[in-house]
């Protein structure tokens, strides 16, 4: 009698669903990040951690403190509305988390706690609450801005574009998110401009993901949804 094996006999297909994707989207201010996110679904909920939604028609909640974020998360856990949640910006949300930890420890700055306790508590709290929200079966998009930073190499230094998010929060989201997308304005030799999404890694910026998307993509919600669904659809299958 043949011995049963636990080893797989065939490859598993990609299983990332568009409506459940965890995405970090970053780029220059006013490039169109929030507009794209607001168009991902009819019931998108934007958690506005900073001003800037005046020109958009969308479901939104003003997040003015870490406590408010936790309360919204609790309400979402009891609701079947809003298939996608957008945190705009995640930079400000992490700052609120850090402020809450400082208040708890009665210190002015996380660095004031001994042995890195403040930084660790903020990192743990951020991961716990964001992880719970992302575990509700919804898609979660984290929006951040971009900045240039100097990267040291063996032959010198070079400039790279990265999110403005605190490095500790980014270290968590970089591994947590399914996709990391960089939004920029692409300029042709003739001077024409096009707003695009970078989806693949490059020396000039950080991007990539667990599925292969076309690069570049138009900075449009319809194009992003079509690309994600196309990348995860079984070969030979049609649209569902």
């Amino acid at each position: 009698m043949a011995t049963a094996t636990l080893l797989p006999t065939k490859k598993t297909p990609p299983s990332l669903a568009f409506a459940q994707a965890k995405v970090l989207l970053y780029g220059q201010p006013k490039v169109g990040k929030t507009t794209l996110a607001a168009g991902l679904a009819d019931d998108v909920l934007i958690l506005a951690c900073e001003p800037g939604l005046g020109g958009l028609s969308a479901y939104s909640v003003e997040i003015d403190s870490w406590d408010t974020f936790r309360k919204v998360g609790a309400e979402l856990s009891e609701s079947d509305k809003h298939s996608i949640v957008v945190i705009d910006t995640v930079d400000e949300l992490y700052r609120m988390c850090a402020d809450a930890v400082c208040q708890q420890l009665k210190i002015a700055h996380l660095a004031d706690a001994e042995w890195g306790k403040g930084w660790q508590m903020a990192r743990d709290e951020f991961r716990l609450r964001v992880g719970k929200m992302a575990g509700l079966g919804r898609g979660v998009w984290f929006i951040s801005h971009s900045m240039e930073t100097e990267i040291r190499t063996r032959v010198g230094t070079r400039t790279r574009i990265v999110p403005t998010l605190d490095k500790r929060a980014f270290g968590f989201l970089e591994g947590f998110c399914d996709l990391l997308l960089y939004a920029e304005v692409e300029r042709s030799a003739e001077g024409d401009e096009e707003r695009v999404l970078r989806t693949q890694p490059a020396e000039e910026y950080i991007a990539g993901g667990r599925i292969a998307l076309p690069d570049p993509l138009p900075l449009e919600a319809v194009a992003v949804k079509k690309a994600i669904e196309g990348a995860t659809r079984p070969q030979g299958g049609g649209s569902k």
Side-chain angles (χ1 to χ4, degrees), residues 1-9:
M1 180 180 295
T3 303
T5 178
L6 299 177
L7 300 178
T9 57

Side-chain angles (χ1 to χ4, degrees), residues 194-234:
E194 181 182 8
R195 298 185 181 195
V196 300
L197 278 178
R198 298 297 181 180
T199 68
Q200 300 300 316
E203 289 189 355
E204 297 84 3
Y205 48 79
I206 294 176
R210 297 190 173 101
I211 57 174
L213 300 179
D215 188 313
L217 277 175
L219 190 62
E220 301 170 355
V222 173
V224 173
K225 181 177 180 180
K226 182 178 179 181
I228 294 176
E229 291 179 339
T232 57
R233 187 180 301 128

Side-chain angles (χ1 to χ4, degrees), residues 6-240:
L6 299 177
L7 300 178
T9 57
K10 61 181 180 179
K11 296 180 179 179
T12 57
S15 60
L16 175 61
F18 169 75
Q20 296 177 343
K22 311 302 182 276
V23 182
L24 175 58
L25 169 63
Y26 75 107
Q28 297 177 354
K30 311 301 181 184
V31 74
K33 304 182 296 296
T34 305
T35 300
L36 182 152
L40 293 170
D42 292 336
D43 64 345
V44 166
L45 174 65
I46 299 178
L47 305 188
C49 302
E50 61 180 51
L53 299 182
L56 292 176
S57 176
Y59 296 100
S60 65
V61 177
E62 181 181 351
I63 304 297
D64 56 5
S65 69
W66 187 246
D67 183 59
T68 301
F69 173 72
R70 291 184 57 176
K71 289 178 180 178
V72 170
E75 288 192 30
L76 283 171
S77 68
E78 300 296 330
S79 172
D80 58 358
K81 298 179 180 179
H82 307 299
S83 59
I84 296 177
V85 176
V86 176
I87 298 176
D88 186 9
T89 63
V90 67
D91 304 56
E92 282 301 303
L93 184 66
Y94 180 77
R95 181 190 61 77
M96 294 176 194
C97 177
D99 287 347
V101 170
C102 285
Q103 292 176 11
Q104 179 181 347
L105 295 177
K106 298 181 180 180
I107 57 178
H109 191 274
L110 293 177
D112 296 337
E114 295 181 349
W115 311 108
K117 179 181 178 180
W119 297 113
Q120 185 63 50
M121 286 183 63
R123 182 164 54 246
D124 290 347
E125 174 69 4
F126 184 78
R127 293 180 64 173
L128 173 64
R129 303 303 172 183
V130 168
K132 280 189 174 182
M133 178 171 288
L136 296 175
R138 297 175 172 88
V140 182
W141 285 59
F142 305 89
I143 295 181
S144 181
H145 298 307
S146 63
M147 66 179 183
E148 292 186 351
T149 186
E150 293 294 323
I151 303 296
R152 293 185 178 182
T153 68
R154 294 180 179 179
V155 295
T157 61
R158 59 181 174 83
T159 300
R160 197 178 198 192
I161 300 172
V162 300
T164 53
L165 181 62
D166 180 275
K167 64 180 181 180
R168 297 164 187 83
F170 175 63
F172 161 60
L173 289 179
E174 186 178 23
F176 179 76
C177 288
D178 302 302
L179 297 168
L180 203 168
L181 307 176
Y182 168 54
E184 69 167 348
V185 177
E186 185 178 55
R187 295 177 175 83
S188 67
E190 293 75 23
D192 297 326
E193 294 184 350
E194 181 182 8
R195 298 185 181 195
V196 300
L197 278 178
R198 298 297 181 180
T199 68
Q200 300 300 316
E203 289 189 355
E204 297 84 3
Y205 48 79
I206 294 176
R210 297 190 173 101
I211 57 174
L213 300 179
D215 188 313
L217 277 175
L219 190 62
E220 301 170 355
V222 173
V224 173
K225 181 177 180 180
K226 182 178 179 181
I228 294 176
E229 291 179 339
T232 57
R233 187 180 301 128
Q235 292 185 0
S239 299
K240 294 183 179 180

